[in-house]
Amino acid sequence: MCLGAGVLLAQPAGQQVPYLEKRGATTQLIVDGKPFLMLSGELHNSSSSSLEYMKPIWPQLAAMGINSVVTPLSWELIEPEEGKFDYTLVDGLLDQARQAHERVVFLWLATWKNGMSSYAPVWVKRDTKRFPRVVENGAEVEILTPLASSTMEADARAYTALMKHLKEVDGRDRTVLMMQVDNEVGVLGDTRDHSDAANKAFNSAVPAELTKYLAAHRDSLYPDLRSRWDANGAKTSGTWAEVFGDNVRTDEIFMAWHYARFIQAVAAKGKVAYDIPMYVNTWLAGDDTTPGDYPSGCPEPWVVDVWRAAGTALDFYSPDLYDPNFTLWSKRYHRAGNPLYMPETRGGDAGAANVFYAVGEEAGIGFSPFGIDDEMDPKGALAESYRAIESLASMILEHQAAGDLHAFVLDRSHPAVDFTVEGYTMHVTLDEIFGSHAQNGYGLIFPSGLDEFTGAGKGFRVTFTPRSGLHAGIAAVDEGSFAGGKWAPGRRLNGDENDQGKAWRFDSKQVRTEKVSLYRYE
C-alpha cells in the first residue's frame, strides 16, 4: 500500500532522534526510523521523585503492555540552587526505564503546574522582585507572571541545561521520546493577571505578530476566535479590548498570548540544545466556564491559534481529557495540522474503550491515563486493550497514514455509527444476540485484503452494504492473533458466534481480534 512521501515536521539533528513526520493522511511519531504508537501511562506527580519508589513500578508497567511512561521532572529538583544542576534523578530514571525496555516522555514541571507555581525552586519563589507574581484582587498569588522576562530566562536556562544533558546521555539510546514544557498553565482565580505590568500591556496595542497571523490564517482559525475577532471588525491594530471586545474572553486571549510567548521561548532554547518533539497540555474547560475557574490562557481549542501565532517551537497542543464527551474534545484537538496526543486521561474501563477511538478514528500518536501506578493490573481492562492494540500496532500505523482506519465507542445513548470503507458501508451497533444486549462496545476496523477486514474490540456487531447495489454476505469470520505482524488463526466463528451469518460480532466477554471475509451476490 502506497502511503506517499513523508513530510518532515521536525528535523532530527545528528543521529536520528525521535521526530514528527507527515505520512499520508496523518502525522506520526518516528522512533528509530519507524512510526511508533505510544501506549503509555502517566505517573502520579511525585512518584518519580524517588528512584527507590520507582524500582518495583517499572516491571509492573511493562507487564500491562505499556511501552512508554509519562513522568514529571521538576525544576526544583534539577536546579535546587541557582546555577547548580543535579541530574542524579534524571540519569536514574533513564537507567531504570532502559532496564524495563520502556520509553519516556518527561514533563518539565517548572514555572507552572496546574496554573500554580509550586514546582519552581525556592530561590525563585522567595525573590518576588526578580520573579514577580500574578496579581488577583489587588494581591499577589503563588502564580509567577508570564510577563516577566527574568522568569522566562531562568526557566529557559534550566530547561536548556536539561536538554543538553539529555542529548549527552540519551542521544544514542533515544529513551526520551518527547518533552512536555510546563503543565496546564494559566491564571487560576481570576480571568487575567492584574499586575501593573499586565494592566499596562492589556491597555497597549495588540502585538502585530498576532493580528498578522490572524489575517493570514483567517479561513482556518477556530470558529470561536474568528467570530470574536470579526464581531469587533477584524481589526489589525488597537488595544486588546478594541480588537477582541471588552469581556472575559479577551482576558483569556491576552493571557494565552503571554503564556505562549513565554513557553515558546523556553521550548525554542531547549530545541537548540536537543531537537525532539515538544508540546503543551491543557486543563480543559466547559464551553460556558469562566476563565479563571480553569487556568486562563491555557491552550484551550479556541486559543490554540493564539499560541501558534506566538512561535513555532512547540510541535502540537494536547488535551488532558477527563470529560465524558471524549470524541468531541478529541476532534477539537485533531485539527489544522495538530496531531492528537493524549498525555493525561481516564484509565480503567473508560480508558480501555477510549484508546481505541484515539489511535483509530483520530489517528492519535499516543494515549496515557493518569495515575497509572494505581492501575498496574496486567489482567485489567486497560491492559487487555493495550495488548490487543500493540499486536496490531504496525497495521494501525499503516492504516492511519492510508486514512482508512476507523474506530468507535458505543453505549446506550450512542448505540450505532456508520463508516464507508473499500466499497462498503459498515453499520456498527452494540452487540445483541438471543435477547442479550451489550451496554457498551468499542473497537477499530481496517481493510486487510479484497473483501476482507480486520477488527479488534468487544461488545459490537457489524453489517455490510456494498456501495455497488449488490448484496453482501459473510463468507467467514475467524478469530486469531498477530505475532510479529503474522496472522495466527484460531476458531472459525460461523455459528452462533456470528449470529448464523447475520453479522460480524465481537461479544462483550473480552477484547478479541478477528477477520471477516465477504462475498457479493445479486
Side-chain angles (χ1 to χ4, degrees):
M1 183 175 295
C2 180
L3 302 182
V7 178
L8 196 63
L9 299 185
Q11 178 67 47
Q15 297 188 47
Q16 197 175 64
V17 299
Y19 62 98
L20 297 174
E21 186 177 81
K22 183 73 167 63
R23 297 172 69 88
T26 193
T27 297
Q28 295 179 327
L29 176 66
I30 309 300
V31 180
D32 296 335
K34 299 181 294 184
F36 186 84
L37 185 62
M38 299 174 62
L39 299 175
S40 310
E42 181 177 339
L43 299 169
H44 280 293
N45 297 160
S46 301
S47 298
S48 61
S49 65
S50 167
L51 294 175
E52 284 300 314
Y53 180 89
M54 284 300 301
K55 276 183 181 179
I57 301 293
W58 293 101
Q60 295 178 73
L61 296 175
M64 287 182 63
I66 286 173
N67 62 19
S68 43
V69 178
V70 182
T71 182
L73 281 180
S74 63
W75 184 8
E76 63 176 344
L77 296 180
I78 298 296
E79 191 181 11
E81 297 181 50
E82 186 170 9
K84 295 182 179 180
F85 297 97
D86 185 347
Y87 300 115
T88 304
L89 180 62
V90 177
D91 294 345
L93 290 172
L94 291 176
D95 181 61
Q96 290 180 344
R98 291 170 190 144
Q99 290 184 45
H101 305 289
E102 293 285 353
R103 305 279 186 159
V104 170
V105 175
F106 278 134
L107 314 184
W108 176 237
L109 304 186
T111 302
W112 302 286
K113 191 271 180 186
N114 291 42
M116 307 304 290
S117 297
S118 57
Y119 279 86
V122 69
W123 55 267
V124 171
K125 292 179 181 180
R126 69 163 61 101
D127 192 347
T128 57
K129 289 186 178 180
R130 182 181 170 197
F131 306 111
R133 300 184 177 198
V134 165
V135 172
E136 298 177 356
N137 302 311
E140 292 183 346
V141 294
E142 195 178 3
I143 304 172
L144 293 161
T145 178
L147 283 84
S149 60
S150 54
T151 308
M152 183 276 290
E153 290 164 1
D155 188 335
R157 280 194 298 271
Y159 184 65
T160 302
L162 171 63
M163 297 309 295
K164 286 180 179 178
H165 182 76
L166 289 178
K167 183 177 182 179
E168 292 171 0
V169 301
D170 194 50
R172 290 180 179 274
D173 294 295
R174 298 177 292 282
T175 308
V176 182
L177 299 177
M178 302 191 298
M179 296 292 295
Q180 178 181 298
V181 191
D182 282 284
N183 185 87
E184 295 183 353
V185 305
V187 171
L188 272 175
D190 206 341
T191 56
R192 70 170 177 88
D193 181 3
H194 286 88
S195 64
D196 290 343
N199 289 337
K200 181 179 179 181
F202 186 77
N203 292 313
S204 299
V206 174
E209 302 101 301
L210 176 53
T211 54
K212 286 180 180 178
Y213 183 95
L214 298 179
H217 297 83
R218 178 183 180 83
D219 292 341
S220 63
L221 294 177
Y222 196 84
D224 179 84
L225 179 64
R226 177 172 170 174
S227 67
R228 292 183 185 280
W229 186 43
D230 284 347
N232 289 277
K235 297 182 181 72
T236 56
S237 63
T239 67
W240 291 88
E242 289 169 344
V243 173
F244 298 107
D246 188 7
N247 53 63
V248 297
R249 292 298 176 185
T250 298
D251 289 355
E252 180 179 21
I253 294 168
F254 171 77
M255 293 312 306
W257 173 258
H258 286 286
Y259 278 106
R261 292 288 286 179
F262 185 113
I263 295 179
Q264 291 278 12
V266 171
K269 290 179 181 293
K271 280 209 163 193
V272 171
Y274 189 33
D275 188 1
I276 60 175
M278 298 179 188
Y279 70 95
V280 170
N281 64 330
T282 310
W283 173 333
L284 294 183
D287 291 347
D288 299 320
T289 308
T290 302
D293 291 341
Y294 60 90
S296 181
C298 209
E300 304 291 339
W302 43 88
V303 294
V304 162
D305 292 303
V306 178
W307 278 74
R308 285 175 160 176
T312 58
L314 295 169
D315 295 285
F316 57 90
Y317 302 88
S318 291
D320 287 352
L321 184 43
Y322 296 95
D323 191 281
N325 199 335
F326 187 89
T327 60
L328 171 68
W329 287 98
S330 294
K331 290 180 184 298
R332 286 178 170 180
Y333 277 88
H334 184 207
R335 59 174 287 272
N338 194 71
L340 182 67
Y341 173 59
M342 201 72 59
E344 186 176 325
T345 188
R346 291 189 292 169
D349 291 338
N354 291 337
V355 62
F356 279 91
Y357 183 85
V359 305
E361 190 62 19
E362 301 301 335
I365 64 176
F367 187 88
S368 177
F370 177 72
I372 196 66
D373 35 336
D374 284 343
E375 194 180 344
M376 297 184 295
D377 181 359
K379 297 182 179 179
L382 182 65
E384 182 182 47
S385 290
Y386 271 20
R387 281 192 291 269
I389 291 172
E390 176 61 27
S391 72
L392 297 167
S394 62
M395 288 161 280
I396 288 172
L397 290 161
E398 178 184 359
H399 288 280
Q400 282 183 349
D404 57 5
L405 171 66
H406 287 287
F408 41 85
V409 176
L410 306 175
D411 57 30
R412 304 307 289 180
S413 64
H414 176 63
V417 65
D418 288 349
F419 301 113
T420 299
V421 184
E422 295 290 307
Y424 290 94
T425 295
M426 298 184 186
H427 186 54
V428 186
T429 62
L430 286 171
D431 186 38
E432 58 176 285
I433 190 169
F434 305 141
S436 176
H437 296 261
Q439 295 300 307
N440 54 67
Y442 48 86
L444 56 80
I445 296 170
F446 55 84
S448 50
L450 180 63
D451 296 326
E452 179 184 280
F453 297 90
T454 296
K458 63 190 287 189
F460 66 93
R461 60 167 47 204
V462 187
T463 57
F464 300 86
T465 303
R467 302 286 288 177
S468 65
L470 298 175
H471 297 290
I474 293 177
V477 174
D478 292 295
E479 72 174 357
S481 60
F482 284 92
K486 294 184 178 180
W487 173 247
R491 295 181 298 167
R492 171 63 58 89
L493 305 178
N494 276 12
D496 293 344
E497 291 81 9
N498 76 356
D499 203 358
Q500 326 310 319
K502 296 178 184 177
W504 183 22
R505 291 186 57 240
F506 290 74
D507 65 34
S508 299
K509 296 175 184 177
Q510 67 184 68
V511 171
R512 298 186 187 278
T513 300
E514 298 179 2
K515 282 191 174 187
V516 63
S517 57
L518 307 175
Y519 67 94
R520 303 191 190 196
Y521 61 96
E522 294 184 359

